[in-house]
Amino acid sequence: MRDSGAGTSDAGVGPSDSDRVRKWLGEAAHAPAALPDEGYVALLGADGPELEQLCELADALRRQAVGDTLTYVVNRNFDTAAVCGADRSARARLTALVAEARELGATEICMQGPLPADSDDDHLALIAAIAAAGPIHLHAFRPPEWLDAAARRGVPVATVLAEARDAGLGSVPGTAARILDDEVRHRLNGGPDLPVRQWIEVIEAAHRAGLFSTSTMMYGHGETPAQQVAHLRLLTEIQDRTGGFTEFIAMPWQPGERTTPQAWRQARAVHAVARLLLHERIDHIQAAWPKFGLESAVSLLRGGADDIGGLLVTGPLAPEAGAEAGRTLTVAEVERTARSLGRSTRQRTTRYGDV
């Protein structure tokens, strides 16, 4: 477990802290990814004029890394429990859902959530059924769900991931990461949680199997700025070993609090610092519009983020999609957002290629 640092997750910034932030802003302008931890911790506390300078620096770095194009993917969410089932009627409904997603223009299906313990289905059979109904890119199952799949089959997780790739899996969500610190995870879960070591093992096994993944951080639930920096450092270490991360997504623990000044200050600082620390390792930073709202996501896109994420298309046959059910974005809304930013748009694949 990493050093948890000290202080609160969102401490105020006094005059002496402003001087410290300005010092590290100067350093970051020359070497954004080479600051010591204390530099990034200081920048996470930026406020007022220093926060604006931090976001401007992150935005300039975004332009240098990926240019002035706002990217998006046309995707559809599936909840595992809502679409599983090995009987003929369940499979027919799943095939119809995939066909409907493709008719709506989706190039990706994102499927998350545990397979119910009493389900007659199987992780790999479900993947194969979606692949057979495609062609469409399948982005599926979080690390705990892969551990469950391996346990049900009685094989190592590396084996089940390789088999899933062969069955038609394209990539895995790098979610369930929360904060990669065992003490924080235990406290947040009210008891034992998936250890950091195992989360890393599953993600690296997926990368070694030829599957890429997103990387994420769920912040704002009592962790310290030092723990946030340590989390980002761990992501860079994994990326140095595997090169398997395509993007970084920061999400607030309690989205409903995003409108408070301190919560919004923290959101902007987290995205900007991530752009600096991950520079030349993870090019794409997503502004998670379902978590922040589209208007707030625009501000994040002015402060280091370059991607708006998925449209989350739905149709008459749409299954329950968890916390994001009922939230969709249109291409017209993305284009209006891009115009407000002075950027062009590009529909991308899951791996950021051209559609």
Side-chain angles (χ1 to χ4, degrees):
M1 186 176 71
R2 297 197 162 218
D3 181 6
S4 61
T8 64
S9 64
D10 202 10
V13 179
S16 61
D17 292 323
S18 294
D19 291 340
R20 228 161 30 98
V21 170
R22 284 194 292 270
K23 170 187 182 295
W24 291 114
L25 280 171
E27 296 286 338
H30 300 291
L35 302 188
D37 286 1
E38 66 174 308
Y40 295 117
V41 168
L43 293 177
L44 283 169
D47 202 356
E50 289 76 31
L51 178 59
E52 300 308 319
Q53 291 173 39
L54 172 63
C55 291
E56 288 171 10
L57 176 59
D59 196 47
L61 204 59
R62 180 270 310 161
R63 187 176 298 109
Q64 176 186 328
V66 296
D68 278 324
T69 302
L70 176 61
T71 50
Y72 66 94
V73 63
V74 183
N75 66 346
R76 184 176 196 172
N77 278 359
F78 281 0
D79 180 79
T80 305
V83 300
C84 67
D87 62 273
R88 184 173 298 178
S89 64
R91 284 293 189 254
R93 180 173 180 272
L94 178 62
T95 297
L97 284 167
V98 175
E100 185 180 65
R102 294 183 63 216
E103 288 168 6
L104 292 166
T107 61
E108 172 194 295
I109 285 172
C110 177
M111 181 169 63
Q112 298 185 84
L115 184 68
D118 60 354
S119 174
D120 60 355
D121 213 338
D122 171 83
H123 292 81
L124 299 190
L126 189 52
I127 288 168
I130 292 172
I136 199 161
H137 183 98
L138 179 59
H139 181 69
F141 299 130
R142 299 168 289 198
E145 291 146 20
W146 284 115
L147 289 169
D148 177 50
R152 293 190 194 209
R153 287 181 163 255
V155 298
V157 72
T159 300
V160 79
L161 282 161
E163 291 174 344
R165 175 205 62 211
D166 293 343
L169 182 68
S171 56
V172 301
T175 42
R178 300 186 182 92
I179 292 293
L180 293 172
D181 179 291
D182 285 325
E183 184 274 327
V184 173
R185 296 167 73 81
H186 187 280
R187 172 163 43 81
L188 178 65
N189 201 46
D193 194 2
L194 179 69
V196 172
R197 172 186 53 80
Q198 281 193 290
W199 187 92
I200 294 171
E201 286 174 358
V202 175
I203 287 296
E204 292 197 354
H207 293 176
R208 286 194 299 271
L211 301 162
F212 56 93
S213 77
T214 56
S215 63
T216 66
M217 182 171 76
M218 184 78 76
Y219 68 88
H221 45 70
E223 79 284 354
T224 67
Q227 287 167 328
Q228 293 175 353
V229 171
H231 179 107
L232 293 170
R233 291 282 193 202
L234 261 178
L235 297 181
T236 67
E237 292 166 11
I238 296 169
Q239 188 73 338
D240 286 346
R241 289 193 292 268
T242 70
F245 289 136
T246 54
E247 65 193 308
F248 172 74
I249 311 166
M251 297 168 284
W253 173 242
Q254 294 179 308
E257 295 187 1
R258 63 181 178 267
T259 54
T260 67
Q262 277 294 75
W264 184 235
R265 186 212 64 77
Q266 185 183 38
R268 294 181 68 202
V270 163
H271 284 77
V273 167
R275 171 59 72 185
L276 270 58
L277 199 156
L278 301 176
H279 183 55
E280 295 186 335
R281 285 188 171 94
I282 301 176
D283 285 340
H284 300 288
I285 295 180
Q286 187 181 125
W289 70 268
K291 305 296 184 184
F292 296 101
L294 183 57
E295 184 177 343
S296 294
V298 171
S299 293
L300 299 176
L301 289 162
R302 289 194 174 102
D306 66 290
D307 180 72
I308 198 66
L311 301 191
L312 304 179
V313 296
T314 59
L317 299 177
E320 179 60 40
E324 294 174 350
R327 298 182 183 180
T328 63
L329 195 64
T330 66
V331 172
E333 287 174 307
V334 175
E335 291 174 343
R336 282 197 298 271
T337 298
R339 284 196 298 271
S340 75
L341 294 163
R343 300 181 200 174
S344 59
T345 59
R346 179 174 70 88
Q347 182 184 348
R348 64 170 175 86
T349 65
T350 308
R351 201 166 193 167
Y352 282 83
D354 292 328
V355 174

